[in-house]
């Protein structure tokens, strides 16, 4: 790959919350897969002899987004979900590959998968890394761990376990397959017909076994969890991240902040009737989900007030066309509107996730040495998170994968 220099842009990233201001009239020099230099245009161009120039026409450039709650094989109750469940293994791989391509094109250059069917996520990750498929960088939990009959037990994206030995074996099974993290279901949720959101599903010794085993192998643990009592117990045991957190209390949120437990709030899942209707989701699930919406927002506000680290995750497929934009961008807008604000939302969608994943040397900022995972948009994301609706150019690892400029074409 020849050197590329991106010019005529303003560079903005999540370090704005730490006082690192935008670089106006900037340039980004890319060598191979990584950024070699970022700074004022004239300074960079002096070191860019022979580089291919890409003029972004005054766009704002940020790191690619990181979606921390992704299911590329999602199958909710209803007709849409049943059609995914009926796919053969070959069809499932192609379906997920198409979703990965669409995810990358909407500006999500990294995903954290938190329950995928049949370990197809590992094959997809290998294919993307080998250049045989187009998609984001994948960090994955493999199959989520559940108790017998627990949340999500109906699909092949979960593994049923019981007792401390069973959950230890479940953790090791995912790590053996190549998991970067562990996902465990510790309460009921909105998609389980025979449970409630506040149904506890693991005993303390089972949760402790998951955490001890995963941490011994250098893996973090994230938990699907709704009620404060269940979350509070897991936080005391060392939980690294909470998914959803529908029913937090100020006390539990404060303890999460003290212990460094992050929250991926997935605000979309309790305010997405249009999506549910599109998939034919049954009435019982719609009522439970949408009915949880007001309390969900209250919980999110409690987390922000307590200083909990919040991270972007849509739960809905990242690329899904929803309310005029992608599900990823709409989730980030909801997070911003719910009290986070544009600068912290940018951090929650880029550098925050990179740090949780232990990948901050590679992704999450527009900085020399990191991968050239970049998106360009027409509006300023520090002024309004809705700027991400105007994404028109995407680069991953130094390769342009989307280019909506006149004559730019789409290269992947």
């Amino acid at each position: 790959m020849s050197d590329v220099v991106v010019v005529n842009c303003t560079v903005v990233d999540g370090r704005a919350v730490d006082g690192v201001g935008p670089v106006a009239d900037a340039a980004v020099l890319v060598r191979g897969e990584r950024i070699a230099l970022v700074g004022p245009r004239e300074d960079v161009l002096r070191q860019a002899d022979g580089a291919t120039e890409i003029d972004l026409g005054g766009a704002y450039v940020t790191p690619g987004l990181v979606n921390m709650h992704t299911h590329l094989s999602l199958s909710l109750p209803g007709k849409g979900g049943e059609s995914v469940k009926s796919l053969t293994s070959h069809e499932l791989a192609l379906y997920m590959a198409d979703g990965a391509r669409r995810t990358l094109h909407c500006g999500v250059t990294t995903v954290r998968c938190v329950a995928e069917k049949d370990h197809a996520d590992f094959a997809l990750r290998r294919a993307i890394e080998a250049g045989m498929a187009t998609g984001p960088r994948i960090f994955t939990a493999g199959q989520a761990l559940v108790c017998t009959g627990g949340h999500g037990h109906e699909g092949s994206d979960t593994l049923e376990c019981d007792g401390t030995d069973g959950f230890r074996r479940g953790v090791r099974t995912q790590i053996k397959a190549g998991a970067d993290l562990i996902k465990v279901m510790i309460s009921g949720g909105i998609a389980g017909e025979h449970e409630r959101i506040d149904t506890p599903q693991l005993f303390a010794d089972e949760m402790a076994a998951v955490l001890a085993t995963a941490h011994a192998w250098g893996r973090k643990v994230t938990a699907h969890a709704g009620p404060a009592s269940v979350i509070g117990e897991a936080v005391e045991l060392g939980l690294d991240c909470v998914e959803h957190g529908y029913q937090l209390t100020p006390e539990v949120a404060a303890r999460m902040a003290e212990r460094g437990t992050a929250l991926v709030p997935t605000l979309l899942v309790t305010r997405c009737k249009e999506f549910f209707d599109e998939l034919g989701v049954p009435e019982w699930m719609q009522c439970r989900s949408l009915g949880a919406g007001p309390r969900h927002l209250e919980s999110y506000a409690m987390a922000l007030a307590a200083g909990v680290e919040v991270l972007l995750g849509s739960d809905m497929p990242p690329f899904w066309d929803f309310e005029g934009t992608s599900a990823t961008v709409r989730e980030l807008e909801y997070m911003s509107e719910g009290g986070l604000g544009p600068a912290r939302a940018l951090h929650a969608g880029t550098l925050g996730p990179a740090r949780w994943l232990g990948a901050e040397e590679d992704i999450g900022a527009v900085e020399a040495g990191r991968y050239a995972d970049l998106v360009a948009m027409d509006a300023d994301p520090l002024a309004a998170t809705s700027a991400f609706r105007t994404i028109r150019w995407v680069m991953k690892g130094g390769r342009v994968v989307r280019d909506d400029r006149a004559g730019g074409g789409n290269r992947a």
Side-chain angles (χ1 to χ4, degrees):
M1 297 172 63
S2 62
D3 289 358
V4 171
V5 61
V6 178
V7 301
N8 196 5
C9 60
T10 297
V11 172
V12 183
D13 68 27
R15 293 174 297 169
V17 299
D18 300 321
V20 178
V23 181
D25 192 19
V28 181
L29 178 61
V30 178
R31 289 194 173 124
E33 292 185 310
R34 294 184 182 263
I35 297 168
L37 184 64
V38 184
R41 185 197 321 213
E42 294 305 316
D43 294 347
V44 174
L45 288 179
R46 281 195 288 269
Q47 301 187 50
D49 288 347
T52 300
E53 188 171 296
I54 297 176
D55 189 324
L56 290 181
Y60 291 84
V61 171
T62 75
L65 292 170
V66 183
N67 193 312
M68 293 283 278
H69 194 118
T70 298
H71 302 285
L72 292 171
S73 57
L74 181 70
S75 56
L76 295 175
K79 292 181 180 179
E82 289 303 318
S83 69
V84 175
K85 288 181 179 179
S86 69
L87 296 175
T88 67
S89 59
H90 304 92
E91 291 168 336
L92 178 66
L94 293 170
Y95 175 83
M96 291 175 65
D98 179 65
R101 176 187 59 82
R102 295 167 69 183
T103 294
L104 180 59
H105 283 190
C106 77
V108 177
T109 55
T110 301
V111 296
R112 186 186 69 164
C113 294
V114 286
E116 301 290 1
K117 291 179 171 51
D118 300 327
H119 281 173
D121 42 325
F122 299 112
L124 177 60
R125 181 173 64 184
R126 289 192 295 270
I128 291 171
E129 291 174 349
M132 296 185 294
T134 299
R137 304 183 193 281
I138 293 178
F139 293 80
T140 185
Q143 295 168 306
L145 306 184
V146 302
C147 67
T148 295
H151 183 74
H153 73 279
E154 306 91 345
S156 61
D157 51 357
T158 58
L159 178 67
E160 288 182 304
C161 309
D162 287 298
T164 57
D165 288 346
F167 276 98
R168 287 193 187 100
R169 188 175 299 111
V171 170
R172 291 169 180 149
T173 298
Q174 302 316 305
I175 294 173
K176 178 181 177 181
D180 305 290
L181 65 140
I182 298 298
K183 166 80 175 293
V184 60
M185 311 294 205
I186 64 174
S187 81
I190 63 175
E193 187 171 8
H194 304 297
E195 62 189 33
R196 300 185 310 273
I197 287 175
D198 60 356
T199 303
Q201 297 196 349
L202 264 70
F203 290 109
D205 61 345
E206 293 174 319
M207 186 70 216
V210 170
L211 289 162
T213 307
H215 290 167
W217 285 79
R219 281 16 176 230
K220 290 183 176 179
V221 178
T222 193
H224 162 101
S229 57
V230 170
I231 293 169
E233 183 177 39
V235 167
E236 294 303 321
L237 291 170
L239 182 65
D240 301 293
C241 188
V242 172
E243 308 298 309
H244 314 302
Y246 300 119
Q247 301 169 352
L248 293 176
T249 62
E251 294 76 18
V252 170
R255 193 60 176 145
M256 288 174 64
E258 291 170 8
R259 297 294 297 267
T261 306
L263 171 67
V264 180
T266 67
L267 299 175
L268 280 182
V269 300
T270 55
R271 44 197 39 80
C272 59
K273 180 170 175 51
E274 176 186 326
F275 173 67
F276 289 155
D277 288 343
E278 190 173 350
L279 295 184
V281 169
E283 187 65 19
W284 64 262
M285 179 176 164
Q286 294 210 30
C287 289
R288 184 185 300 172
S289 171
L290 303 176
R295 182 68 176 86
H296 194 184
L297 276 182
E298 290 175 6
S299 292
Y300 176 62
M302 291 172 190
L304 294 183
V308 173
E309 175 86 355
V310 296
L311 307 172
L312 169 65
S314 62
D315 204 349
M316 286 171 57
F319 57 83
W320 204 271
D321 185 9
F322 183 70
E323 296 184 351
T325 186
S326 70
T328 300
V329 171
R330 191 67 187 105
E331 174 69 24
L332 198 59
E333 288 178 333
Y334 273 124
M335 292 174 70
S336 181
E337 294 161 5
L340 195 59
R344 291 171 65 198
L346 176 58
H347 184 275
T350 54
L351 190 54
R355 288 173 174 167
W356 193 95
L357 292 166
E360 63 269 32
E361 293 185 1
D362 291 324
I363 62 173
V366 186
E367 187 177 34
R370 305 196 195 211
Y371 284 121
D373 294 355
L374 308 172
V375 297
M377 64 204 76
D378 293 323
D380 181 0
L382 292 181
T385 303
S386 59
F388 283 97
R389 289 176 176 250
T390 68
I391 288 175
R392 55 180 171 84
W393 182 90
V394 180
M395 171 183 277
K396 180 201 168 195
R399 178 171 175 252
V400 178
V401 297
R402 173 183 169 186
D403 192 348
D404 298 350
R405 298 173 303 154
N410 195 325
R411 295 167 57 179

